[in-house]
Amino acid sequence: MEAEQPCRSAVVDLGSNSVRLVVFEGRSRNPLPIFNEKAVLRLGRGLTETGKLNEEGVEMAKEVLSRFHAIARAMKADPFEILATAAVRDASNGPAFVQTLRESMPGVPIRILSGKEEADHSAIGVMCGIPGASGLVADVGGGSLELIHLTPQGRHDATTLPLGMIRLADRSGRDLDKAKTLADKDIGGVEWLPKVKGSTLYLVGGAFRALARLQIARTQYPLNIVHYYTMDVQEAREMTGWLQNSSRRSLERLPGAPRKRLDDTPFAAMVLRRLMKKVQPDKIVFCVDGLREGWYMLKVAPDILAQNPMDVVAREMCARFGRSNSLPYALMKWTDFLRPEETAEEKYLRHLACYLSDIGSHDHPEYRAEQTYWRILRVQSGGFDHPSRAWLALALAVRYAADQQAPFLATSRALLSEADWKSAVVLGLALRLAYSLSGGAGQLLEGTSLEWEGNALVLILTSARVAVKGESVRRGLERLGQALDVATRFEIELVG
């Protein structure tokens, strides 16, 4: 019997600076890219002076898009669509270029997005990667800067500005002072920006991502993940000043420096600084999900955007790597004793940890703790901010008996406060004790409970099946008590 073909979709983002093909696998709340290739075309170079697409870029685009089309067909991606943005939208020869593409790729949908459509796609991409995002989305490309106001009620006030990196460099003659004047004038003309004053600024687009990569390298930040990288305003101001005044040669020395973006870096930093001056955000959050993920949610999975991506990935990993889909419910109830005063956010992280608590069950025993740690810390999913990754990874490593001094826990030690470190360790020890008692069987866990009696933590055994104070259980309870700095004891209260 022939194997069922996988469900795949593909989109081409044909921008002013580059063109990128992304092929997504399946239909999920967390888009899974299985192919991602970019080519730098600089279609928008010279557009300010000539009003036309760059001729060299046009010829390259025809070849690259033909290749991308062949790849999408070979991978049986359906739907497959090409989205053209600012350069094609604004060039006098843009329509003729698109017509040529349609003749060479009959039947392939090619859309020229308006500035508002481009902003809307980017905002939905941010909603995909950061559930609950609210504030100002700024998506910078080669030809334009899209701004859109994102609220829990929807997307509002989309605006496009000619502040893409190629266009701004052309307009200013690569003079940073002149570019600053242009940026202030363009940004100052957006009448609705006062509405978002003091809210979060979400940064999307390759030039902004390059800023984050450079800052991560420069500060030796312990987690090399741009998505959800968050900065306060003071740090962002210092960063933009550094980038505007640094030579290309000095930036090239940084590990992992995005060399193809370094010429754009001073302009991207300047645009960010002018935006911050205008809207005075409470913080800056980098988001890797943008136009392409927005297309995916609109075209492929429009009915599941409301789902929480962290819930989805936790349940999927539980089903794929764990031994029981029902045990997480029992673990959540069993660990309620830990922090009666926990916030809703803390309770939600505990909920995720319970779902993820058995994902190392099939790994080599000697490496379960470390494998689980890295799997969670670097999980390919939106929604997880960096402290949440570090907290969950630590809790689950401890669940698998990680030594708290182990070098591989360094990222969590750097990102978590002392209080958050302790809470993660305590939950990890509690989960380890639960698995020692039950062997991962929920019906056995039901015969046990942990309760407070004054300042003592009491393990109560109510079922004859688990009323055995084995060595692993005794040690587990002692370790949990030590972490909480309380006395512990057993009580056997057999029922029936």
Side-chain angles (χ1 to χ4, degrees):
M1 182 181 296
E2 186 176 345
E4 183 179 350
Q5 289 294 333
C7 171
R8 290 172 178 162
S9 55
V11 62
V12 172
D13 178 0
L14 181 57
S16 303
N17 181 60
S18 62
V19 57
R20 184 185 296 271
L21 167 68
V22 178
V23 180
F24 297 102
E25 182 86 274
R27 182 180 180 277
S28 169
R29 177 58 183 80
N30 292 290
L32 178 62
I34 59 169
F35 184 87
N36 189 325
E37 184 175 306
K38 180 182 81 169
V40 176
L41 305 178
R42 294 199 173 265
L43 275 174
R45 176 181 285 171
L47 180 62
T48 300
E49 295 179 359
T50 67
K52 295 182 178 182
L53 297 172
N54 179 276
E55 290 184 7
E56 183 180 351
V58 166
E59 293 306 312
M60 289 176 60
K62 292 176 184 177
E63 296 178 6
V64 171
L65 289 171
S66 176
R67 167 180 156 74
F68 285 175
H69 184 208
I71 291 171
R73 282 187 304 177
M75 297 183 75
K76 296 181 169 53
D78 185 22
F80 168 62
E81 191 166 7
I82 297 173
L83 305 179
T85 56
V88 177
R89 178 171 67 235
D90 296 338
S92 61
N93 60 341
F97 170 60
V98 169
Q99 182 57 34
T100 300
L101 295 178
R102 287 188 173 128
E103 291 171 359
S104 64
M105 294 179 288
V108 174
I110 303 175
R111 292 171 53 205
I112 303 176
L113 298 181
S114 69
K116 289 187 176 181
E117 286 175 323
E118 188 176 349
D120 194 59
H121 277 60
S122 295
I124 295 171
V126 172
M127 293 167 63
C128 174
I130 304 178
S134 180
L136 175 65
V137 174
D139 182 2
V140 71
S144 61
L145 171 71
E146 272 64 52
L147 302 175
I148 187 166
H149 183 195
L150 188 59
T151 72
Q153 291 73 41
R155 306 175 303 279
H156 318 277
D157 305 311
T159 297
T160 185
L161 301 174
L163 294 177
M165 294 299 96
I166 291 178
R167 185 171 298 184
L168 183 57
D170 285 349
R171 290 172 68 198
S172 65
R174 299 205 65 85
D175 183 315
L176 198 59
D177 289 333
K178 186 176 179 181
K180 174 182 172 182
T181 301
L182 293 169
D184 279 338
K185 180 179 179 181
D186 290 346
I187 293 169
V190 182
E191 296 180 355
W192 55 266
L193 276 182
K195 291 183 187 179
V196 299
K197 189 174 181 179
S199 62
T200 301
L201 175 57
Y202 298 94
L203 301 181
V204 181
F208 283 152
R209 289 195 299 273
L211 305 187
R213 290 194 179 97
L214 290 165
Q215 180 73 350
I216 285 171
R218 174 204 184 198
T219 61
Q220 298 182 319
Y221 182 75
L223 187 59
N224 190 22
I225 294 177
V226 170
H227 185 65
Y228 236 130
Y229 180 54
T230 301
M231 310 172 70
D232 61 35
V233 173
Q234 183 176 354
E235 184 183 5
R237 285 194 185 117
E238 193 278 334
M239 176 195 72
T240 54
W242 162 64
L243 288 170
Q244 289 180 82
N245 292 291
S246 294
S247 67
R248 179 186 175 98
R249 180 172 295 181
S250 66
L251 296 179
E252 284 178 339
R253 296 193 188 103
L254 292 170
R259 293 174 179 268
K260 292 182 179 179
R261 293 283 185 183
L262 292 183
D263 289 337
D264 297 335
T265 295
F267 293 91
M270 180 274 298
V271 168
L272 172 56
R273 198 178 183 97
R274 307 328 293 168
L275 266 178
M276 289 193 299
K277 181 179 180 181
K278 182 69 176 180
V279 304
Q280 298 177 29
D282 62 346
K283 60 183 175 181
I284 289 88
V285 179
F286 291 86
C287 181
V288 302
D289 293 339
L291 183 144
R292 296 176 292 274
E293 289 75 21
W295 171 88
Y296 173 91
M297 298 311 301
L298 284 169
K299 193 79 173 181
V300 180
D303 56 328
I304 60 177
L305 182 59
Q307 295 177 4
N308 189 308
M310 293 180 287
D311 267 342
V312 171
V313 76
R315 292 172 190 271
E316 287 176 348
M317 292 179 77
C318 176
R320 182 179 177 187
F321 299 115
R323 293 168 290 176
S324 169
N325 290 328
S326 60
L327 184 61
Y329 295 98
L331 289 171
M332 189 65 184
K333 182 179 178 181
W334 198 81
T335 55
D336 276 341
F337 79 94
L338 282 173
R339 299 180 68 186
E341 77 289 356
E342 71 183 345
T343 65
E345 181 181 356
E346 290 167 343
K347 185 174 183 178
Y348 183 65
L349 284 177
R350 179 163 62 90
H351 155 85
L352 293 175
C354 289
Y355 265 96
L356 296 166
S357 62
D358 203 32
I359 64 170
S361 62
H362 296 87
D363 292 328
H364 191 287
E366 295 296 329
Y367 294 97
R368 280 178 184 154
E370 188 168 358
Q371 278 287 93
T372 299
Y373 182 82
W374 294 123
R375 189 175 285 145
I376 298 303
L377 189 70
R378 298 169 176 173
V379 63
Q380 173 70 10
S381 171
F384 292 94
D385 63 24
H386 292 193
S388 295
R389 289 173 181 268
W391 191 92
L392 286 166
L394 173 60
L396 297 176
V398 171
R399 172 264 185 271
Y400 284 113
D403 182 342
Q404 292 182 48
Q405 303 306 315
F408 68 83
L409 299 178
T411 298
S412 293
R413 193 170 292 282
L415 291 180
L416 297 178
S417 67
E418 185 176 343
D420 287 338
W421 175 279
K422 180 178 178 179
S423 70
V425 167
V426 166
L427 178 59
L429 291 171
L431 290 171
R432 183 162 182 78
L433 176 58
Y435 278 94
S436 294
L437 283 163
S438 67
Q443 65 269 30
L444 295 184
L445 196 62
E446 290 173 3
T448 75
S449 65
L450 276 168
E451 298 181 9
W452 291 103
E453 289 187 7
N455 290 325
L457 184 61
V458 182
L459 176 58
I460 301 174
L461 308 176
T462 60
S463 168
R465 292 178 295 178
V466 294
V468 178
K469 293 182 283 188
E471 182 64 18
S472 64
V473 173
R474 183 189 63 77
R475 287 199 310 269
L477 182 61
E478 287 179 354
R479 289 188 182 114
L480 180 56
Q482 289 168 1
L484 290 166
D485 196 23
V486 298
T488 59
R489 70 173 186 270
F490 289 89
E491 284 188 11
I492 298 178
E493 301 177 357
L494 298 183
V495 178

